[in-house]
Amino acid sequence: MAPGKVTIADIAAEAGVSIPTVSKVMNGRPDVAAETRERVEAIIRQHGYQRRGDERSRRSTLVELMFHELESAWALEIIRGAEQVAAEQGLALVLSESQGRLTPGQRWVDGVITRKPLAVVAVFSDLSAAQLAKLRARDIPVVVVDPIGEPGVHTPSIGATNWNGGLTATRHLIELGHQRIAVIGGPERVLCSRARVDGYRAALETAGLVVDPELVRYGDFHVESGRAQFEALLKLPQRPTAVFAGSDLQALGVYEAARTAGLRIPEDLSVVGFDDLPVAQWVGPPLTTVRQPLQDMAAAATRLAVALARGTEPEHRRVELATTLIVRRSTAPPAN
């Protein structure tokens, strides 16, 4: 079978099943034996079969926005950006969650196939090659926001200039006179977290400062990990005078640990966050942070996903939006 010429009938013949059975697999129907389903899926992947949009009797009006978890103000900013574009396009936004798993389970994939959205925007997730192939075969394009690892060549993604953000945050602290600067990144395996920490390292090295491994910590981007990691930093013989937290939520955890330890911000400790969530300007003192344009990132991803579903090939498959340092009152020169 020549590439691009494969039909459902060809797949049925090779799998030794009926055309309706292949159609059931394609549509996510549950009434197909697991072994048969896997055999059909394998043949679909082998031949790179992709359902064409004109094969559908009616195009979906849904865009699916998938998170690994829906527990923070960070997710709300993403939803706002995606909803704005969906409304402009006359589409509805449906939310799904993979219960904290960075790679969603088979149940989520089967659900998407059943729902048949126009496109999927996957946020901070790591879909497997097989999952992406299943969705691609059904003409459901996927765009990833903040990919966990390096996205494949066939997977468009939207991110931010995380390395430059980490560099700018740390350089700001160095320019204030800090030399003992800690960093609390997100999960070590996550692409954006590694980039922010690498930017931190580059700023120190450029300034001629040694990167102390004891001052490099990793959390999970949530408040509790920021608190726990800073409490561990306080146990060092010489505590840091400044902290670059890899997210605003982790910065709030640092605030709480500093308060419990009797440290004043910024008099005793300078803190920089990352994201610029709405809460950053309302905490006491207002948080210096790196603004990541979350709403713009989500809007760009949704716009790209819809364009792909309508047959437009993107000029760029990897887009990074600029980050900006927002200086507020949580940073100051060191006390001594």
Side-chain angles (χ1 to χ4, degrees):
M1 289 180 279
K5 302 287 187 180
V6 183
T7 66
I8 288 182
D10 295 327
I11 295 169
E14 186 167 340
V17 299
S18 67
I19 292 176
T21 297
V22 176
S23 180
K24 287 179 180 180
V25 173
M26 292 292 296
N27 291 313
R29 292 270 299 277
D31 51 337
V32 179
E35 182 181 344
T36 301
R37 180 183 302 277
E38 185 50 45
R39 184 165 73 252
V40 172
E41 292 284 5
I43 293 170
I44 289 172
R45 291 195 298 271
Q46 175 187 346
H47 294 292
Y49 173 80
Q50 184 169 347
R51 173 181 286 173
R52 302 300 172 191
D54 56 8
E55 288 184 51
R56 295 185 183 177
S57 59
R58 179 168 58 91
R59 297 295 297 188
S60 173
T61 58
L62 297 178
V63 173
E64 181 147 344
L65 184 61
M66 190 273 283
F67 293 88
H68 78 294
E69 61 183 13
L70 276 166
E71 294 184 354
S72 72
W74 185 90
L76 184 58
E77 294 299 297
I78 295 289
I79 293 169
R80 284 172 174 158
E83 171 61 25
Q84 177 185 350
V85 173
E88 290 172 357
Q89 300 284 338
L91 303 169
L93 194 68
V94 59
L95 304 182
S96 60
E97 184 191 50
S98 59
Q99 290 77 49
R101 291 177 293 186
L102 297 178
T103 299
Q106 184 59 41
R107 184 176 178 180
W108 175 80
V109 177
D110 290 342
V112 173
I113 292 172
T114 301
R115 288 187 291 274
K116 301 184 180 70
L118 185 68
V120 170
V121 176
V123 183
F124 202 65
S125 300
D126 188 20
L127 276 70
S128 69
Q131 291 172 336
L132 290 168
K134 285 183 179 181
L135 298 181
R136 193 160 49 243
R138 283 128 178 119
D139 193 32
I140 302 175
V142 177
V143 176
V144 181
V145 177
D146 254 352
I148 298 301
E150 286 292 343
V153 294
H154 299 298
T155 307
S157 63
I158 306 291
T161 53
N162 291 290
W163 183 89
N164 190 67
L167 177 82
T168 304
T170 310
R171 183 176 289 164
H172 169 67
L173 294 169
I174 293 170
E175 289 172 349
L176 288 172
H178 294 277
Q179 295 189 8
R180 192 156 176 79
I181 304 168
V183 63
I184 304 174
E188 191 168 2
R189 63 169 282 219
V190 172
L191 184 65
C192 65
S193 174
R194 295 201 312 268
R196 293 169 198 177
V197 174
D198 286 346
Y200 155 88
R201 294 179 188 275
L204 291 178
E205 291 168 356
T206 301
L209 299 175
V210 175
V211 178
D212 185 346
E214 286 191 318
L215 297 181
V216 179
R217 306 293 172 120
Y218 294 92
D220 61 7
F221 286 142
H222 291 294
V223 174
E224 180 57 30
S225 70
R227 184 193 63 79
Q229 291 299 336
F230 186 64
E231 286 178 347
L233 288 166
L234 286 175
K235 295 176 182 178
L236 296 175
Q238 185 182 1
R239 71 166 178 85
T241 63
V243 176
F244 165 43
S247 73
D248 287 351
L249 295 179
Q250 287 188 156
L252 296 184
V254 173
Y255 269 45
E256 176 59 20
R259 184 193 64 80
T260 302
L263 297 176
R264 299 165 302 164
I265 298 173
E267 292 85 355
D268 303 316
L269 177 73
S270 285
V271 182
V272 179
F274 200 107
D275 286 329
D276 195 28
L277 298 177
V279 70
Q281 60 184 313
W282 298 115
V283 294
L287 178 65
T288 294
T289 187
V290 176
R291 176 177 292 163
Q292 180 177 208
L294 295 172
Q295 290 191 32
D296 291 343
M297 289 162 58
T302 307
R303 198 170 287 113
L304 176 56
V306 171
L308 286 167
R310 292 172 175 169
T312 302
E313 185 63 25
E315 184 178 353
H316 303 288
R317 286 190 164 266
R318 171 65 178 168
V319 177
E320 290 189 345
L321 303 186
T323 53
T324 308
L325 180 69
I326 306 299
V327 179
R328 296 193 179 101
R329 299 206 303 272
S330 66
T331 50
N336 297 321

